[in-house]
Amino acid sequence: MRSGLKQIFLRNFSVFAFMAFISFLIVQGQIESTTIPPQSELTSYSNIDRTLSISQKKAVARSRNSAVRILSIDEENGTLAVSSGTYFKFKDTHYVLTTSHGVLGGCETVQIEADGELHQCISVLKRDERDDYVIMSVEHVFGRKPINFPRDFTSGREWGKALSILNKLIYTGYPNSMGPATVEGTVMAYTSDEYINMFSYAWSGSSGSGVFNREGKLVGYVMALDVGQTEFGVQVLENVLLVVPAYKVDFSVLYK
């Protein structure tokens, strides 16, 4: 008799314990679903849409981790220019590629900012006014992961795909001093000046942002917003970007 009662007790207890465990999981799930993640998790560079493919996630991560903000001051009148740049590495030296119009003088006028920390420009290796770019060697930028030259740059036959119409591209920069902000776009056209027209969005401060393809290769950099004739006269087209292909940049200065 006692043995039968004991078995009934144990069976009922097991059912009770199982139901209690299920209830705990349900409650825990509800708590987690209503809990706002900490700020550090939301702003983490790894907080990327999980529905993206592995290669797309890698491309976004590479874009975000190599983006820096360029601060340059005109010492004569105190004017401050704010733009974006791409942090990269060749052998044991670190560099930044950005636009020329965002650098108002030599290295002494430039600071490279990442997550609130300022880093020094060491030397300006190349300035090209026509294609509007500067290559500068810089200090190691903490909190950023440089892309590698030339491995992480578009090359050879990859250009055919990179410049194909409606090919998806992304860039990370500091539009209106906000960011780093990652923006998606598509190739609209390839101009007679050998620039890419990208349908996307940019604002003051986006100039110099590195543009990447879905494989995480650097395609070029944002030079400017396009301008066009409208019924209201000549206006800036905020959703048409001029992107300079990376093959127009003279990287031979890195070997000297």
Side-chain angles (χ1 to χ4, degrees):
M1 183 71 176
R2 290 182 178 179
S3 177
L5 290 173
K6 184 177 181 181
Q7 290 180 355
I8 294 173
F9 173 78
L10 290 175
R11 185 165 58 249
N12 290 339
F13 179 79
S14 298
V15 172
F16 173 78
F18 177 75
M19 295 304 295
F21 178 69
I22 294 298
S23 298
F24 170 78
L25 291 179
I26 293 174
V27 171
Q28 191 70 17
Q30 290 176 337
I31 291 174
E32 290 181 357
S33 65
T34 57
T35 300
I36 299 175
Q39 183 74 4
S40 58
E41 181 178 333
L42 293 174
T43 58
S44 169
Y45 284 82
S46 62
N47 184 22
I48 299 170
D49 183 5
R50 296 180 181 179
T51 65
L52 296 176
S53 67
I54 294 176
S55 63
Q56 287 174 319
K57 288 180 184 177
K58 184 177 180 180
V60 173
R62 188 170 288 172
S63 171
R64 292 182 63 79
N65 280 304
S66 63
V68 293
R69 180 158 53 179
I70 311 300
L71 308 173
S72 181
I73 189 168
D74 187 324
E75 296 177 329
E76 292 185 5
N77 55 32
T79 302
L80 178 67
V82 181
S83 56
S84 304
T86 302
Y87 180 48
F88 71 97
K89 181 179 179 182
F90 177 62
K91 294 184 177 179
D92 295 324
T93 305
H94 296 85
Y95 303 90
V96 164
L97 171 66
T98 186
T99 48
S100 176
H101 72 258
V103 178
L104 304 180
C107 252
E108 68 281 358
T109 71
V110 177
Q111 295 278 309
I112 296 92
E113 187 267 329
D115 300 329
E117 297 292 329
L118 296 178
H119 305 273
Q120 300 296 319
C121 167
I122 297 174
S123 66
V124 173
L125 278 71
K126 177 75 175 181
R127 181 189 289 268
D128 188 306
E129 301 293 349
R130 180 181 181 278
D131 290 319
D132 195 14
Y133 70 84
V134 163
I135 300 175
M136 64 182 81
S137 61
V138 300
E139 294 180 328
H140 171 66
V141 179
F142 297 100
R144 291 292 185 272
K145 295 179 182 178
I147 59 174
N148 292 290
F149 176 85
R151 186 181 69 193
D152 298 328
F153 289 61
T154 303
S155 62
R157 294 183 178 274
E158 295 173 332
W159 279 112
K161 182 178 180 181
L163 301 180
S164 59
I165 299 302
L166 294 185
N167 183 40
K168 297 291 185 181
L169 303 173
I170 60 169
Y171 80 88
T172 300
Y174 295 84
N176 202 30
S177 294
M178 175 187 70
T182 303
V183 185
E184 190 176 41
T186 56
V187 177
M188 294 173 56
Y190 183 63
T191 74
S192 58
D193 295 326
E194 297 187 41
Y195 298 141
I196 303 167
N197 280 135
M198 183 169 75
F199 184 75
S200 184
Y201 169 83
W203 197 249
S204 177
S206 297
S207 296
S209 301
V211 178
F212 291 77
N213 62 17
R214 285 176 292 184
E215 287 71 43
K217 294 291 189 75
L218 184 75
V219 173
Y221 56 92
V222 175
M223 180 171 71
L225 292 167
D226 204 354
V227 295
Q229 183 70 42
T230 72
E231 58 182 315
F232 305 106
V234 177
Q235 292 189 326
V236 174
L237 306 179
E238 296 175 1
N239 57 353
V240 180
L241 281 62
L242 286 176
V243 175
V244 181
Y247 67 74
K248 293 178 73 69
V249 178
D250 180 13
F251 288 108
S252 66
V253 295
L254 304 182
Y255 298 94
K256 296 177 181 180

